[in-house]
Amino acid sequence: MTTRSLLQELRARFAEALNAVAGDSTPVDPQVRASGDPKFGDYQCNAAMALAGRLKRKPRDVAQAIVDAVEVADLAEPLEIAGPGFINIRLKPESLSGRLGRIAPVGEGGVNPNRPELTDRFGIPPVADGDRLRVILDYSSPNVAKQMHVGHLRSTIIGDVFARSLEFAGHDVIRQNHVGDWGTAMGMVILGLWYRETRRRRGETDDVLRRRLVDLQSARESGVDERRALLQPIATDWAADLSDANAAVEPVRLEQLELGYQFVQTLTTVAEKTGVQAPGPDGDIELADIPRLVTQMLQTGGEGNEFERALWEAARAASIGYCQELYDRLGVLLRPEDVRGESFYHARLPRVVDDLRTALTGEGRTAPDGAKAVFREDQGAACVFVYEPDGKPRYANPDGEALPLIVQKSDGAFLYATTDLAALRYRVSELHGQRLIYVTDPRQQLHFKMFFDVGRAMGWAAPTTRLEHVTFGSVLGENRRPLKTREGGVITLARLLDEAESRAFELLHERQRAAESEEEGAAIPRFDEVEMREVARRIGIASIKYADLCRDRNSDYVFSWDKMLAFQGNTAPYMLYAYARIRSIYRRAADEFPDAQPYAADVTIQLDHPTERALALRLARLPETLESIVDELTPHTLCAYLFDLAADFMRFYEACSVLKAPDAASRASRLRLCDLTARGLRLGLSLLGIPVIERM
RNA sequence: GCGCCCGUAGCUCAGCUGGAUAGAGCAGCGGACUUCUAAUCCGCAGGUCGCAGGUUCGAAUCCUGCCGGGCGCGCCA
């Protein structure tokens, strides 16, 4: 038998009663929800008012009819009708404690500290087999050319919560890290790496390259002649180096990629309007045109050029290795085997365009929602236009003309729309995805709408395939502009994490000092340097992640160290502290009452004190909270729940002593509540990608 | 010009897809440590939900129009 959540149970029972009252088989929304105010009960059913209109009866009469028809006597106190026809539901304490009592203790093997949700389900069953979906989750997706910065943070940690939550719910999640390893930026990296490598073979160190970069940077504002004089020797050497095709490339590090990338990028800027040329694969090319050169270089696939291939692989390996370090540090689930970047689809792109051309030329095809996709060449580019059923373009440019999804540029190169379509086909037909989730910034929204339309029109996504573009707001500085360093540069992720950890360490250190200076000394754990570093590391990372997750993901959020590291309010430290307090009680109870068995069969969960009842009700609502996160992909609702849970526990903690409980039965009951709370916090935080701390 | 997102307490944010007297946390004021970690808890104060209409038993929520802010709109991703 599947255990329903409290909310599901009440909904089901009221739905049945409503159908009886309504007298027909039209399903009626039972409108059961948690009450906003405790004086209106724990849950309420608001369906009477709406139904009254339909039945042309008085709302309160309808409410009475529902009350008479519904069978909830085993769960709730006698129902009350209030106001215009609200039905207030107050749960019986024994039904609450019974429900919690059915949550089995953690099994023999104990809890896996890294993935507690895999070993302690808190009595929550996975979805039924028939509801299980294969979910393809596309998140993080950094561009391998550059260091990861705060912009990548949100996609990575929000996506990670989806991965964990959907997996916990019982779905079959396949992570796809769609890294940018084949675009112009990657080409620039390869070219930079090529330059560095060939110079290195002539005995030049990175320092020489770095100095040359500085020279170029300072020449950006100079006159054409001056810049030409600077560039000409580089171009001449370049020509000499081109003959070197030794494919052996040593492993490189990210800094070297960045150096090469910056060099090529600066070179391109400085070469603006100088006309300085260097040899390319198909004859001379202007240095200023390098971006086009590298794109072409990649379009031809680097095939037949082992050196280029080796450079690409070295660059890719360095980037992915570097990203993996950050993923490990952040504690996200992504692994190297989840990487399926743009390059993976490269060989499939011509067929995508061919198939679009074949299927959509002329009349085109119509998607289930009526959108018509038509293939047409326009200004030399291969395009797909999307039209409404009435023939109007669904997307328009500022001049009001139809806006195409371009799948092949006039120079023959493919674009990210092409890659995304190829990935869509792959994910549906080869990975058998039924729900495809893309976690990216909202600027790409138009692109996603267009390529979803085309994918549906082509039938590459079935009508039942869910395609979801999940967006998130930007991270702002205190000045309300996108977060930057004081100098205006991007903040690298590594630096951000460093600062979080060192700030957390300072706070811990401060607290320890304060405790030592007090006469009796607060009862806080004493840490040595190594332990404190580790606790600070966990708090720091947790704070960054939690701050990111606790707001509605679509709104921009203002980044504030003080707020995310605060020990009050809806923050990671508050939650972690609540957990640590509970664990502390547990350790002491084990010492003082070694015989106490909170999960023994004869233990009844007693809900005499209001704070005990409130805590129990909150615990009973964990399952329904997790349901909503799976449907709506809203981590902040889980954060809000955990904050309420922690706060309810704190109140209980202040009011009901566990170790000094009046008797053994009460103590066992309270210990049980403590442990359930700890498990709920641990499970919830774990789904947010945040590991708990036993002592802090 | 078109499209999307946002506007709620001094600040940072919730508000469960139309429900009851709009809620938290900071900051402010006042309380609580002989008591399981005071990184806590309790109380007070704080609001024209951007503005104006509309839909209805009922609107912060849905519709329309303004005002203010952000983003996007053909060969970058």
Side-chain angles (χ1 to χ4, degrees), chain A residues 310-330:
Chain A
L311 289 163
W312 177 75
E313 270 162 18
R316 190 166 180 275
S319 299
I320 291 173
Y322 155 81
C323 287
Q324 191 59 46
E325 281 174 31
L326 279 170
Y327 293 150
D328 291 345
R329 196 173 163 194
L330 270 172

Side-chain angles (χ1 to χ4, degrees), chain A residues 3-10 99 620 622-625 627:
Chain A
T3 314
R4 285 168 169 167
S5 70
L6 206 42
L7 186 60
Q8 279 175 335
E9 186 66 44
L10 289 167
R99 183 165 275 267
L622 178 53
E624 67 200 43
T625 306
E627 280 159 24

Side-chain angles (χ1 to χ4, degrees), chain A residues 352-403:
Chain A
V352 168
V353 177
D354 284 348
D355 290 351
L356 290 169
R357 188 191 312 269
T358 305
L360 302 180
T361 296
E363 277 303 295
R365 281 192 195 176
T366 304
D369 73 341
K372 189 163 81 169
V374 177
F375 181 95
R376 197 181 331 125
E377 302 245 344
D378 196 85
Q379 299 167 34
C383 304
V384 179
F385 292 86
V386 180
Y387 298 94
E388 297 289 356
D390 64 7
K392 285 189 186 139
R394 177 169 281 193
Y395 308 101
N397 67 15
D399 299 327
E401 297 156 357
L403 182 73

Side-chain angles (χ1 to χ4, degrees), chain A residues 174-179 316 320 324 327-328 333-341 344 426 431:
Chain A
I174 298 184
R175 295 180 287 275
Q176 294 276 283
N177 194 356
H178 193 80
V179 302
R316 190 166 180 275
I320 291 173
Q324 191 59 46
Y327 293 150
D328 291 345
L333 296 176
L334 286 168
R335 301 285 314 147
E337 51 269 31
D338 299 321
V339 171
R340 191 137 296 160
F344 176 81
Y426 170 75
L431 297 182

Side-chain angles (χ1 to χ4, degrees), chain A residues 195 209 212-213 216 234 259-267:
Chain A
Y195 185 77
L209 182 52
R212 198 167 289 148
L213 172 61
L216 281 173
I234 296 176
L259 178 61
Y261 178 76
Q262 274 188 6
F263 179 80
V264 174
Q265 203 173 37
T266 313
L267 188 74

Side-chain angles (χ1 to χ4, degrees), chain A residues 246-362:
Chain A
N246 178 356
V249 176
E250 284 178 21
V252 288
R253 291 199 319 273
L254 186 79
E255 303 86 79
Q256 292 154 344
L257 296 190
E258 284 188 309
L259 178 61
Y261 178 76
Q262 274 188 6
F263 179 80
V264 174
Q265 203 173 37
T266 313
L267 188 74
T268 306
T269 318
V270 172
E272 211 57 44
K273 295 193 180 118
T274 60
V276 175
Q277 297 192 330
D282 307 311
D284 287 358
I285 182 164
E286 286 203 15
L287 288 180
D289 273 343
I290 279 176
R292 268 197 311 131
L293 167 73
V294 298
T295 329
Q296 276 169 6
M297 188 168 86
L298 285 173
Q299 292 299 336
T300 54
E303 290 135 10
N305 189 330
E306 274 181 60
F307 190 22
E308 278 175 23
R309 186 90 202 166
L311 289 163
W312 177 75
E313 270 162 18
R316 190 166 180 275
S319 299
I320 291 173
Y322 155 81
C323 287
Q324 191 59 46
E325 281 174 31
L326 279 170
Y327 293 150
D328 291 345
R329 196 173 163 194
L330 270 172
V332 304
L333 296 176
L334 286 168
R335 301 285 314 147
E337 51 269 31
D338 299 321
V339 171
R340 191 137 296 160
E342 294 172 346
S343 62
F344 176 81
Y345 301 101
H346 175 251
R348 302 164 181 246
L349 302 183
R351 218 192 113 198
V352 168
V353 177
D354 284 348
D355 290 351
L356 290 169
R357 188 191 312 269
T358 305
L360 302 180
T361 296

Side-chain angles (χ1 to χ4, degrees), chain A residues 3 6 92-105 122-123 598-599 603-607 612-623 641 645 669 672-674 676-677 679:
Chain A
T3 314
L6 206 42
K92 286 182 174 171
E94 55 269 32
S95 119
L96 265 181
S97 63
R99 183 165 275 267
L100 293 182
R102 285 194 290 277
I103 299 173
F122 200 76
Y599 285 95
V603 172
T604 311
I605 300 175
Q606 304 171 5
L607 304 178
E612 288 177 311
R613 190 185 190 281
L615 180 58
L617 176 61
R618 189 73 65 189
L619 285 166
R621 283 186 184 162
L622 178 53
Y641 170 84
L645 176 59
S669 163
R672 179 87 157 259
L673 280 175
C674 283
L676 288 170
T677 306
R679 290 169 61 186

